[in-house]
Amino acid sequence: MSDIEKQIKQISRGIQSALGSDRFRIRRELDRIRRKAGKGSDAEKTARALQELSRRLEGSMALRRERIRAVPRISFPETLPITEKKDEIVEAIRRHPVVIVSGETGSGKTTQIPKFCLAAGRGIDGKIGCTQPRRIAAVTVAGRIAEELGEDTGRSVGYKIRFHDKTASEAYIKIMTDGILLAETQNDPRLGEYDTLIVDEAHERSLNIDFLLGILKTLLKRRRDLKLVITSATIDTEKFAAAFDGAPVIEVSGRTFPVEIRWETADEKTENGDGELTHVERAVAAVADILRESRDGDILVFMPTEQDIRDTIEMLEGRKFPDTLVLPLFARLTAADQAKVFSARAARKIIVATNIAETSLTIPGIKYVVDTGLARVSQYNPRTRTTALPVIDISKSSADQRMGRCGRVRSGVCFRLFSEDDYNARPRFTRPEILRANLAEVILRMISLKLPDISGFPFLDRPPEKSIQDGLDLLMELGAIEYAPKDPNAAEGTPPHILTKQGMQMAAMPLDPRLSRMLIEAKQEGCLPEVAVIVAALSIQDPRERPA
């Protein structure tokens, strides 16, 4: 056996001891050198290339040994229900490529599952990535896990949200928004930075979550070393299990603190029988009742829109309740303002929030929840090709999530501003966003993310064929896409369309394709400032919204 063959064999044997992110690259480089050597290339050149590759391999192996040595000490709070299932979940992660954990609100799955993955030996070959639907959840969850490991955020546990990355290269756990992980697939389709991925709050079924689940389903076939954990707070886990070839489902009970539900009666909807009160007025009246009958426990009020939050806060502050602090919570708030709801205060907190507070976040001290039963949900109408943002009744699962916010640290009371019959008539789950979204926007995004053709993409819920065709027709009309040139070597599932120059500009704007097309045309016609005002008015949820 020649020296070159010996070196190739030695490198080949050592690849498994390298970091996961390096294995693929080293293996590919070794195959290239092997092919060249087989064709009789310069032996000296080949030896130099193998020496360089051997140095890279040794560096990667040393980093991996250091990661094994530096794993932080892990402890698990005995008080959390999920801790009882620790051994079962850890064993399932070791044995199966995909594990689904269904946990009720307050079970502790968001903070403990990344640590279970560490306990299962994950996080060595690459990071344990965990997605959250919202930025505030990503930041607070990272802070909580770091605190439980006895560290500051940014060492073993980091987070990455838009415009802010606080993750060290040697971190074991990285918490990020689902949009961040989706964006990372563009530069690294194999997601080599991670050896384990956790998709948290998958029951929310946003477009980002559905995209990620489809991408990961395809990726698992190419990366046998990757593990996926899907967590859902509802009982709709059969769909996830079926989508991932019968993956095991582990059910975790929530905390057992009792929550008393108080339903609204028809009399409470009206004031002295004279005209119906708005949901804002009824919520303020419920808060006043709570403050009258009890002296402790913070209050969380769910409102559908930012404007409703402002109106509610104005009315509550106008009543000048003693020793209370009224705080807003919605996605557009700055991180510093959002953090105020978690801080300990002497005054009794009344937090008025959108459905951002429905999942992921544990706000300490909440004893009372006032639920209007409403949320703002985008709905696309293919017939008129318009997206509306109506305020609609939430599903039963969303109402149960809201109720669970007050039973997390002690017994609580949930005031539902709707009747029990109304609740029973509501759908079990919220419709997935893919079934009510503008598919022109979805298709544009999929092509820009270089995802497979929408017709063959493994969505959990497949959009109707007519809606897909409508989306393609609209993008063609707008000049955003064109048919791709015929390529006999194209991979299966390659989209039949490509973005035009205009389409690339449109994909870079987080707007409805027709609005982004208006801006491009306005620039060409020299009337951009005027059209920008119109587009701004058409793109926001509520024209009454204004900067804080």
Side-chain angles (χ1 to χ4, degrees):
M1 190 188 284
S2 70
D3 287 349
I4 282 175
E5 284 174 322
K6 277 181 188 168
Q7 259 186 300
I8 287 173
K9 206 165 187 181
Q10 197 177 348
I11 290 170
S12 204
R13 272 202 305 265
I15 286 175
Q16 273 310 106
S17 302
L19 288 170
S21 54
D22 294 328
R23 281 179 206 160
F24 175 71
R25 285 195 285 268
I26 292 171
R27 198 174 278 124
R28 192 172 55 182
E29 182 66 15
L30 189 64
D31 286 344
R32 192 182 64 80
I33 293 169
R34 195 187 271 129
R35 278 196 306 273
K36 277 192 169 182
K39 288 176 183 172
S41 65
D42 184 335
E44 203 177 316
K45 224 176 178 180
T46 302
R48 275 203 306 273
L50 283 170
Q51 232 172 347
E52 176 54 35
L53 194 60
S54 187
R55 264 200 302 275
R56 272 174 56 194
L57 176 62
E58 280 168 22
S60 185
M61 286 162 72
L63 280 172
R64 189 173 185 273
R65 285 195 297 271
E66 176 55 27
R67 284 182 76 78
I68 292 169
R69 188 198 65 75
V71 172
R73 281 193 62 202
I74 318 163
S75 61
F76 304 97
E78 293 296 325
T79 52
L80 290 174
I82 198 165
T83 305
E84 290 172 24
K85 297 269 186 171
K86 176 178 79 77
D87 295 340
E88 188 184 341
I89 294 170
V90 167
E91 188 56 31
I93 291 167
R94 285 186 181 134
R95 289 177 52 204
H96 301 277
V98 183
V99 177
I100 295 153
V101 180
S102 171
E104 291 174 24
T105 297
S107 60
K109 62 190 185 307
T110 298
T111 53
Q112 301 311 304
I113 287 176
K115 296 196 300 180
F116 290 173
C117 291
L118 260 184
R122 309 304 297 174
I124 303 298
D125 292 332
K127 294 184 180 78
I128 297 163
C130 176
T131 68
Q132 293 294 327
R134 297 177 184 88
R135 283 174 296 168
I136 183 174
V139 177
T140 53
V141 167
R144 180 68 188 158
I145 298 172
E147 188 187 316
E148 288 182 10
L149 292 176
E151 296 184 356
D152 293 330
T153 310
R155 282 183 61 203
S156 297
V157 187
Y159 65 83
K160 187 177 178 183
I161 57 175
R162 194 171 49 175
F163 310 130
H164 197 63
D165 186 357
K166 198 172 180 179
T167 318
S169 57
E170 64 272 15
Y172 292 86
I173 297 168
K174 176 177 166 184
I175 314 289
M176 68 204 119
T177 55
D178 39 35
I180 290 288
L181 185 60
L182 199 54
E184 285 182 4
T185 61
Q186 285 189 74
N187 299 323
D188 180 13
R190 288 179 63 84
L191 293 173
E193 185 184 342
Y194 310 98
D195 73 359
T196 308
L197 285 164
I198 303 162
V199 179
D200 198 17
E201 310 294 355
H203 61 273
E204 290 206 5
R205 299 294 307 281
S206 66
L207 274 179
N208 281 354
I209 286 171
D210 275 15
F211 276 153
L212 278 177
L213 292 174
I215 291 167
L216 293 173
K217 185 176 179 180
T218 312
L219 184 58
L220 284 162
K221 291 172 188 164
R222 289 161 50 210
R223 277 194 59 191
R224 302 286 180 193
D225 61 318
L226 184 67
K227 299 276 187 179
L228 173 63
V229 181
I230 300 167
T231 82
S232 170
T234 64
I235 56 168
D236 192 23
T237 45
E238 296 84 1
K239 193 171 272 183
F240 296 120
F244 287 91
D245 309 317
V249 177
I250 298 170
E251 305 256 349
V252 182
S253 63
R255 277 213 177 97
T256 52
F257 294 111
V259 175
E260 180 194 342
I261 299 175
R262 296 191 192 172
W263 305 93
E264 187 177 65
T265 61
D267 302 342
E268 288 170 317
K269 275 198 172 188
T270 58
E271 188 177 36
N272 305 324
D274 180 22
E276 195 164 304
L277 295 173
T278 65
H279 54 276
V280 171
E281 290 167 330
R282 281 151 46 213
V284 171
V287 170
D289 289 345
I290 293 166
L291 293 172
R292 259 197 308 273
E293 75 179 52
S294 77
R295 290 178 173 244
D296 74 314
D298 294 341
I299 304 164
L300 176 60
V301 183
F302 282 99
M303 282 289 159
T305 71
E306 284 181 37
Q307 184 59 42
D308 289 331
I309 288 175
R310 271 194 289 274
D311 292 346
T312 307
I313 288 174
E314 209 173 288
M315 287 179 75
L316 288 168
E317 287 176 341
R319 293 203 177 192
K320 292 187 170 57
F321 294 115
D323 302 320
T324 56
L325 177 67
V326 187
L327 295 167
L329 181 60
F330 51 87
R332 277 196 324 142
L333 269 185
T334 63
D337 284 335
Q338 287 182 348
K340 287 177 186 173
V341 304
F342 300 103
S343 58
R345 305 284 176 121
R348 196 171 177 184
K349 284 186 288 191
I350 303 170
I351 297 154
V352 191
T354 56
N355 54 4
I356 186 176
E358 210 171 278
T359 53
S360 295
L361 303 174
T362 298
I363 302 170
I366 297 295
K367 186 179 177 183
Y368 299 94
V369 163
V370 177
D371 181 11
T372 54
L374 303 168
R376 172 165 262 160
V377 178
S378 69
Q379 303 271 13
Y380 181 68
N381 184 338
R383 195 172 53 79
T384 58
R385 285 185 175 174
T386 55
T387 300
L389 283 154
V391 170
I392 61 167
D393 291 344
I394 59 171
S395 63
K396 285 180 188 169
S397 62
S398 284
D400 295 344
Q401 285 288 322
R402 292 180 177 190
M403 178 188 75
R405 297 291 103 187
C406 62
R408 300 196 66 156
V409 286
R410 54 175 163 171
S411 57
V413 184
C414 177
F415 290 77
R416 284 181 170 163
L417 306 185
F418 46 95
S419 68
E420 194 169 358
D421 290 342
D422 181 351
Y423 170 83
N424 291 329
R426 294 182 180 208
R428 184 77 192 89
F429 301 108
T430 309
R431 276 182 84 216
E433 192 177 356
I434 189 71
L435 299 181
R436 49 183 170 81
N438 173 357
L439 288 191
E441 204 171 333
V442 172
I443 295 163
L444 188 68
R445 206 160 145 207
M446 288 185 77
I447 298 173
S448 76
L449 285 168
K450 300 183 178 65
L451 297 183
D453 179 26
I454 188 169
S455 301
F457 191 77
F459 281 117
L460 263 73
D461 288 277
R462 198 171 149 59
E465 210 57 54
K466 186 181 180 304
S467 298
I468 294 174
Q469 196 52 52
D470 279 349
L472 288 167
D473 291 347
L474 178 58
L475 290 175
M476 282 286 200
E477 284 169 30
L478 296 171
I481 58 171
E482 60 190 13
Y483 283 105
K486 287 273 181 248
D487 180 4
N489 301 318
E492 195 185 337
T494 302
H497 302 88
I498 55 171
L499 295 181
T500 60
K501 192 180 172 187
Q502 276 180 170
M504 287 176 196
Q505 288 178 287
M506 289 162 68
M509 297 184 217
L511 290 170
D512 179 297
R514 283 159 309 168
L515 299 181
S516 53
R517 183 69 182 84
M518 280 167 66
L519 290 175
I520 293 166
E521 192 66 26
K523 191 180 180 195
Q524 289 168 0
E525 298 293 334
C527 55
L528 187 57
E530 293 81 1
V531 172
V533 173
I534 296 166
V535 168
L538 290 171
S539 65
I540 60 171
Q541 294 186 348
D542 188 334
R544 296 171 298 173
E545 275 177 16
R546 59 197 184 275

